[in-house]
């Protein structure tokens, strides 16, 4: 259950109409420098700043056409929702095609605004966090409208599908700590014949058959 | 003549239209749930922008001819123009805007109310009356300049120093409107775009062009 701020609870209990708005925040990447390029879209009517996690974020208006319904569920399944941005908005084209949005972090917030004053009642709530997992652009044929960029936003559970970034090697261990030599011989271990007393251990041989059994007099 | 720049000003387009019939309303986009209990519940999904329809009066061909290139210019992507309410060109208690034009002061915003639904004006002639339904417009922001258009909900009167108390306006004031912004009470205007597919100069018979119509929606950017 989402915990609402006291001001929101008061507003909801008043039953005087609601006016929710959605905020989408994508941290794209500059293709040349690799610097993060944050860009926000919301379905309000003008550029507006919202303070989220103590940082003011500026959201571009009207470019957000809509998004899929979010289903709350338990478990580690990677869920994907579509978020539709208008291709007629220049900010969308600049962000999605001018910058790299592949696997860019994406956040969706929902803010309740007052239907009379249109001002936010409380800080926005985050309702989705994940990564961009595709952003195909549809340009409508002549006579049709509603061109859109369908951003597929995978949920944060996609992090669990990543492979291990580190290897079982000396190099990976020394990236972790420069003087950590635990895996110094990891890459040749098992490949170099060594002597145990008089017995030569051949590489690739099964350890069970070669290692002297405890208590044996071999 | 210099190239047309957008938005086209009132004198460049709107003033030239022979208006036969017009509407001027804010849009509403409500999610409606009428319960079996008879209760009508609403949620606001859209924006409160001005929109309207202008039906053009009968024109002779030579009158319609200069309008055609302008209308066709506005069909292009990104084109915009300024639009005003032909029925409310000046405050109701100041027909023709005579008093305001004779005044030396510059009407401006004195303060924006904390509720974002009210503003007060300054720089008006002493005891100047603002009535319900009067329109106020001002420009604010940058890249691009936004144009705000609000209608007064209640009456107000300026004091001897030309300052009014807070006046409730509709739609709510957007962030960016600040004190000292000059306001227009004569021909208040907003920036608009043609709704695609709705503009037409009508059909022509023998000597008359009739049934011209266009629909527009306010745009902030």
């Amino acid at each position: 259950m989402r915990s609402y701020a006291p001001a929101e609870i008061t507003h909801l209990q008043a039953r005087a109409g609601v006016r929710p708005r959605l905020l989408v925040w994508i941290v794209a990447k500059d293709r040349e420098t690799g610097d993060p390029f944050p860009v926000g879209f919301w379905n309000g009517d003008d550029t507006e700043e919202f303070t989220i996690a103590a940082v003011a974020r500026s959201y571009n208006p009207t470019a957000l056409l809509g998004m899929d319904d979010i289903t709350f569920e338990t478990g580690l399944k990677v869920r994907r929702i579509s978020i539709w941005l208008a291709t007629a908005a220049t900010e969308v084209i600049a962000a999605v095609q001018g910058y790299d949005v592949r696997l860019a972090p994406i956040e969706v917030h929902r803010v309740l605004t007052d239907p009379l004053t249109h001002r936010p009642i409380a800080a926005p709530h985050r309702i989705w966090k994940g990564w961009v997992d595709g952003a195909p652009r549809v340009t409508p044929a002549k006579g049709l409208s509603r061109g859109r960029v369908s951003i597929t936003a995978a949920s944060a559970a996609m992090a669990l599908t990543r492979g291990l970034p580190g290897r079982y090697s000396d190099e990976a261990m020394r990236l972790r700590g420069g003087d950590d030599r635990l895996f110094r011989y990891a890459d040749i271990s098992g490949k170099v014949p060594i002597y145990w007393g008089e017995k030569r251990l051949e590489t690739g041989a099964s350890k069970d058959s070669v290692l002297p059994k405890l208590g044996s007099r071999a | 003549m210099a190239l047309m720049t957008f938005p086209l000003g009132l004198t460049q387009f709107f003033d030239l239209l022979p208006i036969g019939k017009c509407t001027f309303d804010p849009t509403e986009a409500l999610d409606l749930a009428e319960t079996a209990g008879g209760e009508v519940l609403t949620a606001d999904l859209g924006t409160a922008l001005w929109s309207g329809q202008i039906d053009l009066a009968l024109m002779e061909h030579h009158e319609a001819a200069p309008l055609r290139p302008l209308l066709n210019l506005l069909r292009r992507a990104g084109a915009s123009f300024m639009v005003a309410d032909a029925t409310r060109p000046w405050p109701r208690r100041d027909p023709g805007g005579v008093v305001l034009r004779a005044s030396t002061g510059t009407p401006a915003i004195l303060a924006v109310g904390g509720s974002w639904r009210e503003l007060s004006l300054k720089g008006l002639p002493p005891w100047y009356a603002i009535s319900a339904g009067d329109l106020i417009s001002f420009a604010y922001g940058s890249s691009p300049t936004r144009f705000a258009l609000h209608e007064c909900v209640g009456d107000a009167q300026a004091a001897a120093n030309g300052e009014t108390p807070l006046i409730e306006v509709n739609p709510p004031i957007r962030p960016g409107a600040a004190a000292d912004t000059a306001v227009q009470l004569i021909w208040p205007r907003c920036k608009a775009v043609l709704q695609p597919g709705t503009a037409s100069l009508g059909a022509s018979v023998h000597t008359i062009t009739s049934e011209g119509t266009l629909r527009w929606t306010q745009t902030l950017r």
Side-chain angles (χ1 to χ4, degrees), chain B residues 126-149:
Chain B
W127 317 115
Y128 194 78
I130 301 282
S131 333
D134 287 351
L135 294 172
I136 299 172
S137 78
F138 52 87
Y140 65 97
S142 59
S143 65
T145 307
R146 272 78 156 161
F147 295 91
L149 180 65

Side-chain angles (χ1 to χ4, degrees), chain B residues 92-150:
Chain B
R92 194 147 53 91
R93 303 280 296 278
D94 182 12
V98 179
V99 179
L100 201 60
R101 281 187 225 266
S103 144
T104 53
T106 309
I109 297 176
L110 176 64
V112 176
S115 66
W116 294 92
R117 294 165 60 192
E118 298 168 297
L119 56 76
S120 53
L121 301 177
K122 65 179 181 182
L124 295 173
W127 317 115
Y128 194 78
I130 301 282
S131 333
D134 287 351
L135 294 172
I136 299 172
S137 78
F138 52 87
Y140 65 97
S142 59
S143 65
T145 307
R146 272 78 156 161
F147 295 91
L149 180 65
H150 300 280

Side-chain angles (χ1 to χ4, degrees), chain B residues 5-10 12 74 78-82 145 147 190-192:
Chain B
T5 53
F6 298 107
L8 297 184
L10 283 185
Q12 285 176 300
L74 291 174
S80 58
F81 58 100
M82 302 304 288
T145 307
F147 295 91
C190 68
K191 186 175 163 184

Side-chain angles (χ1 to χ4, degrees), chain A residues 15-21 43-48 60-62 90-91 115-119, chain B residues 39 41-49 114-117 140 146 171-175 220-221:
Chain A
R15 309 190 72 227
V18 290
R19 189 175 181 274
R21 290 290 181 266
N43 50 5
D45 53 10
D46 202 356
T47 304
E48 202 157 324
N60 291 303
T62 62
T90 47
E91 298 93 351
L116 286 179
T117 67
H118 295 188
R119 305 312 313 139
Chain B
E39 208 172 5
L41 302 170
T42 50
D44 186 331
L45 298 177
T47 48
L49 296 171
S115 66
W116 294 92
R117 294 165 60 192
Y140 65 97
R146 272 78 156 161
I173 299 159
R174 298 186 172 87
L220 293 170
R221 289 155 62 77

Side-chain angles (χ1 to χ4, degrees), chain A residues 94-195:
Chain A
V96 174
Q97 299 191 326
Y99 292 83
D100 189 4
V101 293
R102 182 179 173 270
L103 298 179
I106 184 168
E107 285 181 3
V108 182
H109 289 77
R110 184 172 180 265
V111 63
L112 281 177
T113 59
D114 191 310
L116 286 179
T117 67
H118 295 188
R119 305 312 313 139
I121 291 166
H125 292 280
R126 193 178 70 207
I127 57 174
W128 191 268
K129 183 182 179 186
W131 285 277
V132 175
D133 197 24
R137 174 184 174 176
V138 177
T139 303
K142 180 177 185 295
L144 303 175
S145 58
R146 291 182 78 79
R148 52 173 58 169
V149 174
S150 299
I151 299 241
T152 305
S155 61
M158 199 170 75
L160 300 174
T161 65
R162 279 186 191 162
L164 287 176
R167 296 281 175 182
Y168 190 80
S169 68
D170 187 40
E171 285 80 1
M173 206 61 179
R174 290 179 67 177
L175 281 177
R176 193 192 135 276
D179 55 348
D180 192 337
R181 305 306 307 275
L182 181 68
F183 285 155
R184 184 192 299 192
Y185 301 118
D187 53 346
I188 57 166
S189 112
K191 294 174 187 158
V192 181
I194 49 169
Y195 288 90

